[in-house]
Amino acid sequence: AASLAPPAARLTVLDASENELQSIDAVGYLVNLKTLNVASNKLRALPPRVVRRLTCLEALYAQANALERLPGAALARCTRLHTLYVDGNRLRALPAQLAHCTALRDVRANRNA
């Protein structure tokens, strides 16, 4: 049987970098995303209600925003996540729940706070 999902729901890669975005709420509908690039925007948060739906996520690029914290519990649900770039934000710490992301291999969190 053919999938009846809208084309956007089948997206596996989204590059929304350098767009002055302040919100990524609509991204939560893209449940098949493997790569999400929201670098160089004006994001202050990655909403847990959005991130928890991205269970196929393998790479998250969110550098050069204004993030003050990461949604640890939501990211822990992203068990395939292997790359996390959050450098150049306002983070003071990485959430302990990242320890549950056992596929995580490449984390960049320099130039924060």
Side-chain angles (χ1 to χ4, degrees), residues 68-88:
E68 295 180 358
R69 67 185 56 85
L70 295 176
L75 282 170
R77 294 174 54 112
C78 301
T79 57
R80 300 177 189 174
L81 188 67
H82 58 70
T83 302
L84 176 64
Y85 289 3
V86 291
D87 43 310

Side-chain angles (χ1 to χ4, degrees), residues 16-72:
S17 61
E18 300 181 24
N19 280 296
E20 298 188 13
L21 296 178
Q22 295 180 15
S23 168
I24 60 164
D25 289 347
V27 172
Y29 296 102
L30 305 176
V31 295
N32 290 309
L33 275 185
K34 292 183 178 183
T35 301
L36 175 59
N37 185 346
V38 291
S40 301
N41 280 291
K42 295 183 177 180
L43 298 173
R44 298 178 77 130
L46 298 176
R49 69 185 178 281
V50 173
V51 175
R52 82 170 50 100
R53 298 189 65 183
L54 304 178
T55 57
C56 294
L57 202 61
E58 297 175 0
L60 174 58
Y61 303 98
Q63 62 269 41
N65 278 286
L67 300 175
E68 295 180 358
R69 67 185 56 85
L70 295 176

Side-chain angles (χ1 to χ4, degrees), residues 70-73 75-76 93-101 104:
L70 295 176
L75 282 170
L94 294 176
Q97 294 97 326
L98 285 180
H100 297 289
C101 297
L104 201 54

